[in-house]
Amino acid sequence: MDVGVAAAPGSSSAGLGVGAVGAAVEAVAGVAAMQEDVGIRREGPEPDPDAPPKKRVKIQEGESGKLEERLYSVLCCTVCLDLPKASVYQCTNGHLMCAGCFIHLLADSRLKEEQATCPNCRCEISKNLCCRNLAVEKAVSELPTDCTFCLKQFPRSSLERHQKEECQDRVTQCKYKRIGCPWQGPFHELPAHESECSHPTKTGTELMGILGEMDQGHRRDTQLYNSIFGLLCYEKIGFTEVQFRPYRTDDFITRLYYETPRFTVLNQTWVLKARVNDSERNPNLSCKRTLSFQLILKSKVNSALECSFLLLKGPYDDVRIKPVIYHHSFSNDTNETDYVPLPISDSVECNKLLAAKNINLRLFIFQVQK
């Protein structure tokens, strides 16, 4: 409803004075009364004129989102185009690579017998030429990312702790898993499931079958450690640090292999050899990579030399190797073992070894007493 205040005819604007103001106030009061009569009410409390101005609501989408997208494109790895999860390396021209892609490039160059180059500028890269970019690592750790379970955003530096300890939607297992409960579900449903779980009420006969399967896995681990402790009781034990160096075969299509210099253990001379993917033609085209090795006795012996041996990681390496004990009876006719797998966990660990200039491991040899 429009309300107007009209001046008297012939009067000037200056003549309105107090009378005009009073008429305007009365008109506004009348409008308010009419609004109350027809049921119009103001929503919310009356604004306080002395209150400070409210802050503007932060807009999630918009400039902040655009800034995060721009940072994502600037800080991402030049190989996989994803934000690095750990270490960040840079070439001499400043192009960024995550640790996994950097190691993979060095491993591929070793398999191809080529110099590793940056995928952007083609400058040479190596562990000596490239360095870590700590500023980028810290910047990436503060960028937001989505939780895999609850889809909420957290800084990358705190995401791992949230997913392992705090997230109510993280996947967890029943506490009765040890007696065969297969339940998996979100953490907030765990108390309800455990209160209704049927496994605590199972009979002893049912539980014995479940525990028997679990004991088989524990029995294998126990047998391995008992074997190692038994070997440590032998009279003649030798160990040494070995360094595998890369070489190429003389074939038309050369293949990569590794060999150690000769070394002496238990008064005998030995050599270790290793190969990639059992010397397949193009291991660089395979995503799955393995290493296998053989132990060669170079000395002449008067009688058979029965030995047990195993390889472990060197004192300054971070590669994960699960100990496996191998046995062989060495003689002048059978002075080489078959190629046996180096028990590394996966292809990522294999790439770490291939990317290194040399492979440094520790060899143990136990002479079996007759």
Side-chain angles (χ1 to χ4, degrees):
M1 180 181 296
D2 296 328
V3 179
V5 179
S11 63
S12 63
S13 59
L16 291 172
V18 178
V21 174
V25 172
E26 291 177 358
V28 172
V31 171
M34 293 174 63
Q35 288 179 339
E36 292 181 359
D37 292 339
V38 297
I40 299 177
R41 296 288 186 272
R42 293 184 181 179
E43 296 182 358
E46 293 290 334
D48 185 2
D50 297 329
K54 294 183 178 180
K55 293 183 179 179
R56 300 179 65 179
V57 178
K58 184 178 180 181
I59 301 176
Q60 297 297 330
E61 302 293 334
E63 293 301 323
S64 60
K66 293 179 181 178
L67 176 60
E68 292 171 5
E69 293 176 2
R70 291 199 299 269
L71 288 176
Y72 186 99
S73 62
V74 169
L75 302 178
C76 69
C77 170
T78 58
V79 182
C80 64
L81 303 180
D82 197 3
L83 284 178
K85 296 181 175 61
S87 304
V88 180
Y89 292 87
Q90 67 176 22
C91 72
T92 53
N93 291 326
H95 297 121
L96 304 176
M97 293 164 282
C98 65
C101 292
F102 178 64
I103 294 299
H104 200 95
L105 288 173
L106 297 182
D108 281 352
S109 66
R110 175 59 56 83
L111 293 173
K112 297 177 183 178
E113 199 180 9
E114 297 175 354
Q115 174 61 48
T117 58
C118 171
N120 267 23
C121 61
R122 298 302 175 188
C123 69
E124 294 184 2
I125 59 174
S126 67
K127 287 191 174 180
N128 294 329
L129 295 175
C130 297
C131 62
R132 288 177 60 182
N133 192 319
L134 300 181
V136 172
E137 292 179 13
K138 293 179 180 179
V140 170
S141 68
E142 295 302 321
L143 287 177
T145 187
D146 293 335
C147 172
T148 309
F149 307 112
C150 64
L151 303 181
K152 296 179 181 179
Q153 286 197 337
F154 296 90
R156 290 174 179 266
S157 57
S158 61
L159 179 64
E160 183 177 359
R161 178 172 58 86
H162 166 76
Q163 290 182 336
K164 287 184 177 181
E165 303 175 5
E166 301 172 355
C167 183
Q168 294 297 308
D169 293 329
R170 67 184 186 271
V171 178
T172 186
Q173 296 177 326
C174 177
K175 67 179 180 181
Y176 300 113
K177 176 192 173 184
R178 294 180 59 83
I179 56 175
C181 180
W183 183 87
Q184 286 186 340
F187 180 78
H188 64 83
E189 296 181 5
L190 180 63
H193 164 76
E194 290 180 348
S195 63
E196 301 174 355
C197 184
S198 61
H199 282 73
T201 60
K202 285 185 177 294
T203 63
T205 305
E206 293 174 327
L207 293 178
M208 286 301 296
I210 298 171
L211 295 175
E213 296 177 0
M214 297 175 57
D215 287 342
Q216 290 182 0
H218 295 308
R219 195 177 297 115
R220 286 192 295 268
D221 294 338
T222 304
Q223 184 178 1
L224 171 63
Y225 290 115
N226 289 338
S227 300
I228 294 177
F229 291 138
L231 292 175
L232 292 175
C233 298
Y234 283 12
E235 179 182 356
K236 294 184 178 181
I237 302 174
F239 73 93
T240 185
E241 315 300 330
V242 293
Q243 185 180 80
F244 289 87
R245 298 175 183 175
Y247 296 96
R248 289 279 168 177
T249 61
D250 296 331
D251 303 334
F252 178 73
I253 300 177
T254 62
R255 290 182 173 85
L256 173 69
Y257 73 95
Y258 287 85
E259 187 172 336
T260 65
R262 295 192 177 195
F263 56 90
T264 302
V265 176
L266 299 178
N267 298 322
Q268 306 292 339
T269 304
W270 309 83
V271 167
L272 279 167
K273 288 185 177 181
R275 60 189 185 186
V276 183
N277 286 14
D278 290 328
S279 295
E280 71 177 7
R281 185 169 183 177
N282 293 312
N284 57 293
L285 301 180
S286 175
C287 294
K288 185 177 180 180
R289 293 173 181 172
T290 59
L291 279 171
S292 54
F293 72 98
Q294 71 171 170
L295 180 62
I296 304 172
L297 175 65
K298 290 295 185 180
S299 303
K300 297 295 181 180
V301 291
N302 297 325
S303 60
L305 186 65
E306 189 173 352
C307 294
S308 300
F309 61 95
L310 73 155
L311 275 176
L312 299 176
K313 73 180 188 70
Y316 305 110
D317 290 336
D318 60 349
V319 65
R320 294 192 293 270
I321 297 180
K322 183 178 180 180
V324 175
I325 303 171
Y326 299 102
H327 306 275
H328 188 75
S329 181
F330 293 92
S331 64
N332 293 330
D333 296 329
T334 57
N335 64 330
E336 298 181 356
T337 68
D338 296 330
Y339 274 92
V340 293
L342 182 66
I344 50 182
S345 58
D346 52 28
S347 298
V348 176
E349 299 299 318
C350 185
N351 282 333
K352 287 182 181 179
L353 295 175
L354 295 176
K357 186 177 181 181
N358 299 301
I359 299 176
N360 299 299
L361 300 175
R362 176 172 286 178
L363 172 69
F364 286 84
I365 300 179
F366 308 90
Q367 184 175 347
V368 179
Q369 299 297 320
K370 294 183 179 180

